[in-house]
Amino acid sequence: MCGIVGVVSNAPVNQLLYDALLLLQHRGQDAAGIVTLLERKFFMHKAKGMVRDVFRTRNMRGLPGNIGLGQVRYPTAGNAYSEEEAQPFYVNAPFGIVLVHNGNLTNAHALRAELFSTDHRHTNTESDSEVLLNVLAHELDRATRGGLLNSATVFEAVRSMQRRLRGSYAVVALIAGHGLLAFRDPYGIRPLAMGRGADGTVMVASESVALEGSGHVFERNIAPGEAVFIDLQGQVHAEQCADAPSLNPCIFEFVYLARPDSVLDGISVYQARLNLGETLAKRVVSTVPPNEIDVIIPIPESSRPSATQLAHLLGIPYREGFVKNRYVGRTFIMPGQGVRKKSVRQKLNVIASEFKGRNVLLVDDSIVRGTTSREIVQMARDAGARKVYLASAAPPVRYPNVYGIDMPTKDELVAHDRTVEQIREVIGCDALIYQDVDAMKRAIGSLNPKLDGFDASCFDGVYVTGDIDTEAITRMNGSRPRIEETEEDSSRLALPNLS
């Protein structure tokens, strides 16, 4: 999961790109980068860190031009510590291309071999995004055959790419001297939206909040398999480039990843989370009698809408019991379990009066590794809670995700090969209530009947691209971010094996 943005304007775009990346910061906190284009020259600055730390005044001054793109990175393949793998990526031929990518290629290993042996192109990092860039460069070269580039040849190249690529990808690329290209995988797994400003500026971004928060009007989502080419005059050309597109967005975007004020593929993220709270209420009642719950407390931030709706339907007081330190990053997307656990108590502090002597129902958006949940349950007990129940607005995460979310190995998932009772013992709560998979799909899918389905692979084990098996997952795990942990960190975080 990353956040990407591209802009074509008749005025300098460096500040606009910076502002949009700030609005997408929740999608990646590992690294940030911006490229602008002036005439035929690219200007780039990228580094590890948050947007506000990567870009200083001197860096912004070095990014001239009326067209550009940017990314906030959250690594799911390659080396998480390598500055070289911060995006955008650049290749000089043909034309000169820079690219940012949100998603994960499931056939990157095979493509890398093809690039070397057949396409005669070199990749210098372990990033699947560099592979994607070189496939695009090769197909653009073939489509233009050494001649001129126009929207027709761009779409021909994207059609050829769609036949080669597997996995999830939302992409924005700049082609020197020509314009900006954006396209999305045939299943629409990762989001991509387009909007316009009053001055004619055209922007594409991962979430609608980046458009609206930077003064643009949301126009539409880029469709699965569709390519959009915006020339230097701001003219928008669009064409469907996939053979059999279908809309199956990642359901985890609505559960956790996206901002609640975004609308993705016609679905309000906030309303989706309210709906999850409504269906969760039925599960809670069947597990814990409401008269045994004194208070409902969300685990900030993403669970608040679900917890609010749950409390309303059950007629139980809703209280804020945790105060979040906003200057500590999201633990889910932090590289390394050691960093995640250490940051939990730095990130959250309890309001003891809301816990003391009470039976508390904690509500979280999801439970992935279980490390954070266990820490939070213990914090509630330390604050004096009599009983601690835990409800998840999402079903058990039982399967690896291969489409760009950092849950790639089954051994890291607390729910894999465990019963709910075994998970409850690991986490240490008095009762554990999970959302139902089908109920989750209905609750969110009802908000847009035009969807063909969801990628809910981490919950149901069904991979929409149809090319994933145990061998493929094992191969992809070999290219996941390399995170070094101390022996102390690893031993401290080992979960009991209850399977």
Side-chain angles (χ1 to χ4, degrees):
M1 181 190 72
C2 300
I4 60 175
V5 61
V7 178
V8 177
S9 181
N10 52 18
V13 296
N14 54 355
Q15 186 65 50
L16 187 53
L17 289 165
Y18 177 90
D19 293 344
L21 290 182
L22 283 178
L23 291 162
L24 295 172
Q25 184 74 84
H26 61 288
R27 299 188 67 86
Q29 300 173 2
D30 176 72
I34 289 176
V35 166
T36 56
L37 176 66
L38 181 63
E39 296 176 350
R40 290 182 177 270
K41 185 175 181 180
F42 291 127
F43 297 84
M44 180 188 300
H45 180 69
K46 61 180 182 177
K48 287 182 61 61
M50 307 277 273
V51 174
R52 66 174 181 265
D53 299 319
V54 169
F55 297 100
R56 302 294 186 181
T57 301
R58 63 182 181 277
N59 308 127
M60 298 295 287
R61 287 174 178 162
L63 295 169
N66 297 350
I67 179 172
L69 51 73
Q71 190 219 40
V72 285
R73 180 182 186 235
Y74 151 70
T76 56
N79 188 336
Y81 289 134
S82 172
E83 292 236 353
E84 290 183 2
E85 296 193 12
Q87 296 185 36
F89 278 112
Y90 164 76
V91 68
N92 72 331
F95 309 109
I97 308 168
V98 289
L99 173 146
V100 289
H101 166 216
N102 175 30
N104 199 46
L105 298 184
T106 57
N107 64 336
H109 180 79
L111 285 172
R112 189 174 279 108
E114 283 180 20
L115 285 169
F116 179 77
S117 63
T118 306
D119 299 346
H120 304 152
R121 300 191 71 91
H122 174 256
T123 57
N124 202 49
T125 72
E126 299 171 56
S127 172
D128 63 327
S129 301
E130 189 189 15
V131 170
L132 197 156
L133 169 61
N134 276 273
V135 173
L136 172 61
H138 179 76
E139 297 301 338
L140 278 173
D141 196 34
R142 287 182 57 187
T144 56
R145 297 173 182 83
L148 297 176
L149 181 142
N150 53 37
S151 60
T153 52
V154 168
F155 295 144
E156 180 183 342
V158 175
R159 273 192 294 274
S160 298
M161 285 188 74
Q162 300 275 25
R163 298 186 184 105
R164 297 181 67 179
L165 303 179
R166 298 290 182 271
S168 66
Y169 48 91
V171 174
V172 181
L174 281 183
I175 306 172
H178 292 88
L180 183 144
L181 169 66
F183 57 93
R184 198 174 174 194
D185 70 71
Y187 298 93
I189 298 172
R190 300 264 75 88
L192 197 59
M194 182 170 69
R196 294 178 188 267
D199 61 352
T201 295
V202 182
M203 176 184 284
V204 292
S206 293
E207 295 185 29
S208 63
V209 68
L211 305 171
E212 295 158 353
S214 58
H216 295 76
V217 176
F218 169 81
E219 189 170 276
R220 67 181 182 89
N221 296 286
I222 293 177
E226 183 184 21
V228 173
F229 180 66
I230 308 164
D231 61 33
L232 297 179
Q233 289 70 47
Q235 294 297 310
V236 177
H237 312 265
E239 191 167 309
Q240 178 55 251
C241 296
D243 295 328
S246 62
L247 183 55
N248 296 267
C250 172
I251 205 164
F252 209 69
E253 291 275 358
F254 303 97
V255 169
Y256 173 82
L257 299 178
R259 273 180 50 153
D261 45 346
S262 281
V263 176
L264 306 181
D265 292 310
I267 296 175
S268 160
V269 176
Y270 182 75
Q271 186 62 53
R273 292 173 186 171
L274 288 176
N275 286 10
L276 289 175
E278 185 171 335
T279 56
L280 183 60
K282 301 171 185 176
R283 304 283 291 184
V284 170
V285 169
S286 66
T287 307
V288 180
N291 60 6
E292 294 185 13
I293 303 171
D294 297 318
V295 65
I296 291 177
I297 295 177
I299 299 173
E301 301 260 353
S302 307
S303 64
R304 281 194 174 113
S306 297
T308 302
Q309 190 74 340
L310 176 62
H312 172 70
L313 292 171
L314 297 184
I316 297 171
Y318 170 97
R319 293 288 186 271
E320 293 288 341
F322 296 98
V323 176
K324 182 179 179 181
N325 180 352
R326 299 180 183 276
Y327 301 98
V328 176
R330 295 173 85 172
T331 57
F332 174 79
I333 65 174
M334 284 182 174
Q337 282 277 53
V339 179
R340 287 188 189 99
K341 181 177 178 183
K342 180 181 178 182
S343 69
V344 173
R345 290 182 183 255
Q346 294 175 337
K347 178 181 177 181
L348 292 177
N349 191 40
V350 297
I351 302 173
S353 59
E354 297 300 333
F355 293 89
K356 191 171 183 178
R358 291 177 171 175
N359 294 341
V360 176
L361 174 62
L362 303 180
V363 180
D364 209 348
D365 50 71
S366 58
I367 302 169
V368 180
R369 295 168 176 87
T371 309
T372 298
S373 300
R374 188 170 55 181
E375 284 291 306
I376 289 173
V377 167
Q378 188 58 49
M379 289 168 67
R381 293 199 189 282
D382 293 344
R386 188 166 56 239
K387 287 189 176 181
V388 181
Y389 309 121
L390 178 61
S392 169
V397 177
R398 298 190 182 277
Y399 304 93
N401 183 281
V402 299
Y403 299 127
I405 304 175
D406 188 21
M407 49 177 84
T409 63
K410 61 184 181 182
D411 295 335
E412 292 180 336
L413 307 175
V414 70
H416 178 76
D417 209 21
R418 289 191 175 101
T419 66
V420 173
E421 175 58 21
Q422 288 172 328
I423 302 167
R424 185 199 65 76
E425 291 179 8
V426 171
I427 292 173
C429 52
D430 294 292
L432 177 61
I433 305 102
Y434 274 109
Q435 181 74 262
D436 177 73
V437 175
D438 291 334
M440 172 188 66
K441 292 179 181 179
R442 288 193 299 270
I444 301 176
S446 64
L447 299 173
N448 184 359
K450 295 182 179 179
L451 263 63
D452 296 296
F454 290 103
D455 165 56
S457 52
C458 59
F459 302 112
D460 61 13
V462 178
Y463 297 92
V464 295
T465 55
D467 61 332
I468 302 302
D469 53 22
T470 302
E471 182 181 345
I473 292 172
T474 301
R475 185 172 59 249
M476 282 183 285
N477 285 340
S479 64
R480 69 175 300 205
R482 297 198 306 272
I483 306 296
E484 296 180 3
E485 293 182 331
T486 66
E487 186 174 339
E488 179 185 2
D489 286 336
S490 299
S491 63
R492 220 176 36 210
L493 289 161
L495 292 175
N497 186 358
L498 302 178
S499 57

